[in-house]
Amino acid sequence: AQSVTQLDSHVSVSEGTPVLLRCNYSSSYSPSLFWYVQHPNKGLQLLLKYTSAATLVKGINGFEAEFKKSETSFHLTKPSAHMSDAAEYFCVVSVRNFNKFYFGSGTKLNVKP
Amino acid sequence: EAQVTQNPRYLITVTGKKLTVTCSQNMNHEYMSWYRQDPGLGLRQIYYSMNVEVTDKGDVPEGYKVSRKEKRNFPLILESPSPNQTSLYFCASSLSRRGEQPQHFGDGTRLSIL
């Protein structure tokens, strides 16, 4: 079975400081992992994906995530937060050749001036 | 522009009145899916389609129907809506049914069932 746990429902950082959004997954097979961002009243936009290539994945807007199989984690980081990063972030797991995607419950990122 | 288009964006209706939310994609994607988003629960998959005339249930299919008669369209049908179906709905598509392909999402449809 596949599942995703986002460890923080809310994260608040100051502009210019690092961002860490935590995600743990459970998968019976080799997973594909994604991070999506959702701005208010908008659909979800892909930030980055891991599909069994390099374990450190770089995405858009300066975000990156590291796949750690031993820890079953896929945490999202950014060195320096920007006000425009304030949004809700979703970690998603799926399995190659399977047809379902499993979403975490989301982390709302607040960026303070 | 590559996009997934949902209509309507907002709808307030009453219990029992059939409604359809349309979804269309212009990327020739094989895989399409419907989700509902509720606070604290993330997105949950309602139905998905791997290709024309091929659909299957997701995790929360009760009270919903779908059809895939054309590759680009994947409407969501609520035959007899109830208040517990009040939610934010998203349609998504991806290039193939393989789980490693990312999804492209529409902007969402906010349904209120009174």
Side-chain angles (χ1 to χ4, degrees), chain A residues 36 38 43 94 96 98-99, chain B residues 31 37 50 90 98-99 103:
Chain A
Y36 287 85
Q38 184 182 29
S94 69
R96 184 174 176 171
F98 282 60
N99 301 304
Chain B
Y31 182 93
Q37 181 179 17
M50 293 178 284
F90 287 100
R98 292 173 61 153
Q103 297 179 89

Side-chain angles (χ1 to χ4, degrees), chain B residues 13-114:
Chain B
T13 187
V14 296
T15 299
K17 186 177 181 182
K18 181 180 178 180
L19 67 90
T20 299
V21 185
T22 63
C23 174
S24 180
Q25 50 93 5
N26 63 359
M27 296 167 278
N28 201 35
H29 282 174
E30 227 174 49
Y31 182 93
M32 297 186 74
S33 182
W34 276 102
Y35 297 88
R36 60 177 289 172
Q37 181 179 17
D38 300 291
L41 297 177
L43 277 73
R44 293 178 293 168
Q45 196 165 28
I46 302 171
Y47 270 95
Y48 61 92
S49 169
M50 293 178 284
N51 214 324
V52 175
E53 303 291 3
V54 182
T55 63
D56 206 349
K57 296 177 180 178
D59 293 317
V60 287
E62 295 79 18
Y64 304 95
K65 284 177 57 178
V66 293
S67 68
R68 187 99 180 266
K69 294 183 170 55
E70 304 165 284
K71 198 170 187 179
R72 63 184 292 126
N73 296 324
F74 190 47
L76 179 69
I77 302 157
L78 284 71
E79 295 264 358
S80 183
S82 62
N84 65 10
Q85 293 177 297
T86 293
S87 188
L88 179 58
Y89 291 84
F90 287 100
C91 181
S93 71
S94 64
L95 185 61
S96 78
R97 62 185 178 92
R98 292 173 61 153
E100 63 191 19
Q101 295 291 334
Q103 297 179 89
H104 299 255
F105 285 83
D107 284 341
T109 295
R110 189 167 292 280
L111 287 184
S112 293
I113 316 292
L114 305 177

Side-chain angles (χ1 to χ4, degrees), chain A residues 12-93:
Chain A
S12 186
V13 301
S14 297
E15 190 174 22
T17 64
V19 175
L20 170 64
L21 305 183
R22 298 183 294 166
C23 172
N24 286 120
Y25 70 92
S26 172
S27 179
S28 306
Y29 305 92
S30 294
S32 293
L33 292 156
F34 308 85
W35 275 99
Y36 287 85
V37 60
Q38 184 182 29
H39 291 279
N41 299 315
K42 284 293 190 182
L44 281 72
Q45 179 186 15
L46 179 70
L47 278 178
L48 50 81
K49 67 175 183 176
Y50 165 79
T51 55
S52 77
T55 56
L56 182 61
V57 182
K58 293 189 185 300
I60 62 171
N61 300 335
F63 285 95
E64 62 181 39
E66 186 171 7
F67 173 70
K68 292 187 176 180
K69 186 175 181 179
S70 60
E71 298 176 12
T72 61
S73 69
F74 191 58
H75 301 334
L76 182 70
T77 60
K78 183 173 181 177
S80 177
H82 192 272
M83 295 297 292
S84 61
D85 295 327
E88 189 161 20
Y89 292 79
F90 292 94
C91 182
V92 182
V93 65

